[in-house]
Amino acid sequence: MPSKPLTLKFLDLASILAMVISTYLALVFAPQEVVMGNAQRIFYFHIGTAWVAMLGFILAALGGIIYLITKDLKWDRFELAAVEVSALFFLITICLGAIWARPVWNTWWTWDVRLTTAAVTELVFIAYLMLRQGLEDPEKRARFGAVYTLLGGLSVPVTFMVIRLFRTIHPVVVGSPSAEAQGGFNMDDRMVATFLFALVAFTIVFIDLFWHRVRLGALEEKVEQQKLKASL
Amino acid sequence: MLLQATPDTTGYMIAGYALTFIAMGIYIFSLSIRAANLKRDLETLEMLEAEERAKQK
């Protein structure tokens, strides 16, 4: 693997700094919500991780499309990196939601339409990571991955829109006039600033981890080629 | 008194933030372990290739 580029080193530092500031804003700067108490502070990371996860799943689908057009394996690495990092962030989103739900809804989990579609999306992409392992031929694996992420990517807009289209107990905090009525809350200026900063912070962290994962993919390919050469 | 006191849900908040940092930490650790293993594999394969070439000469 070539030595780490300066931009990536800078991004590593920026990620750490962004997470420290975001945590400070969420835990100290943002005011306490009166109905839910401190558990509401989970919201900032819940939305931040959900945003980057969904972004990553869409990027993976785009990577799949570009692979199908160009047949260049670097887009397969791009797609795999996006799915792996996004699956991590989406798992955190779901767990944070469950932790928030316990004191607010009095249950860790319910088969509500939003929770169900989110769980399906996560399982679809975990299955992608597992199924890839079973395919030896890189071309076949890339083709399978491209089609799979393209179809799997459809679950992202469905998960996003479902709370706006169906009756659900999951609050629509952003852009809903009845947020409080659905177990959500109205945000004051400091809450909005914290929320927006968390979105930026998680975007920086996502780009950083994604870049590291792409580099790891390139190294994996190099080892695979070397093994192939050794076996001939 | 109609107003209710704000519930103490600090434990849930701590659990949420701890989970986020632990999960991200584990992933970063897994990336570095995988990279180290691959680098070692590559070094070994390159060494074997060099030995093979030397034998052929």
Side-chain angles (χ1 to χ4, degrees), chain A residues 60-202:
Chain A
L62 287 176
I65 293 169
I66 300 172
Y67 171 77
L68 289 173
I69 296 166
T70 63
K71 305 286 179 208
D72 186 340
L73 280 174
K74 81 172 176 205
W75 292 105
D76 181 54
R77 292 203 300 269
F78 175 95
E79 169 201 296
L80 173 63
V83 170
E84 194 179 287
V85 178
S86 301
L88 165 80
F89 280 118
F90 212 51
L91 185 65
I92 296 173
T93 305
I94 292 171
C95 293
L96 287 179
I99 293 169
W100 171 84
R102 183 67 185 93
V104 178
W105 293 344
N106 205 27
T107 181
W108 296 101
W109 186 266
T110 174
W111 291 104
D112 170 77
V113 64
R114 161 52 81 83
L115 276 64
T116 306
T117 52
V120 167
T121 301
E122 178 68 4
L123 291 173
V124 161
F125 286 102
I126 288 175
Y128 161 89
L129 295 171
M130 292 166 78
L131 289 169
R132 274 184 71 97
Q133 309 277 331
L135 296 169
E136 288 284 322
D137 179 15
E139 302 281 335
K140 200 173 167 186
R141 192 170 55 207
R143 206 166 50 245
F144 156 80
V147 175
Y148 192 104
T149 47
L150 200 53
L151 295 175
L154 295 175
S155 64
V156 175
V158 171
T159 303
F160 180 76
M161 288 306 294
V162 86
I163 50 172
R164 289 159 178 89
L165 299 174
F166 295 95
R167 279 178 70 87
T168 162
I169 60 167
H170 191 286
V172 187
V173 177
V174 181
S176 169
S178 58
E180 279 177 300
Q182 291 174 287
F185 55 97
N186 287 316
M187 292 193 279
D188 76 358
D189 290 348
R190 280 187 296 168
M191 284 174 165
V192 172
T194 305
F195 165 66
L196 293 175
F197 191 86
L199 293 183
V200 173
F202 275 101

Side-chain angles (χ1 to χ4, degrees), chain B residues 14-55:
Chain B
I14 294 168
Y17 280 78
L19 175 126
T20 306
F21 287 111
I22 290 169
M24 282 166 59
I26 290 171
Y27 185 68
I28 292 164
F29 182 69
S30 111
L31 280 179
S32 65
I33 290 287
R34 283 185 282 171
N37 287 342
L38 284 167
K39 275 179 197 165
R40 207 179 44 226
D41 286 354
L42 192 64
E43 275 169 18
T44 310
L45 287 163
E46 281 170 351
M47 206 169 71
L48 285 171
E49 194 190 9
E51 276 175 18
E52 199 65 36
R53 251 190 253 138
K55 267 186 205 171

Side-chain angles (χ1 to χ4, degrees), chain A residues 13 36 122 184 218:
Chain A
L13 287 175
M36 292 180 261
E122 178 68 4

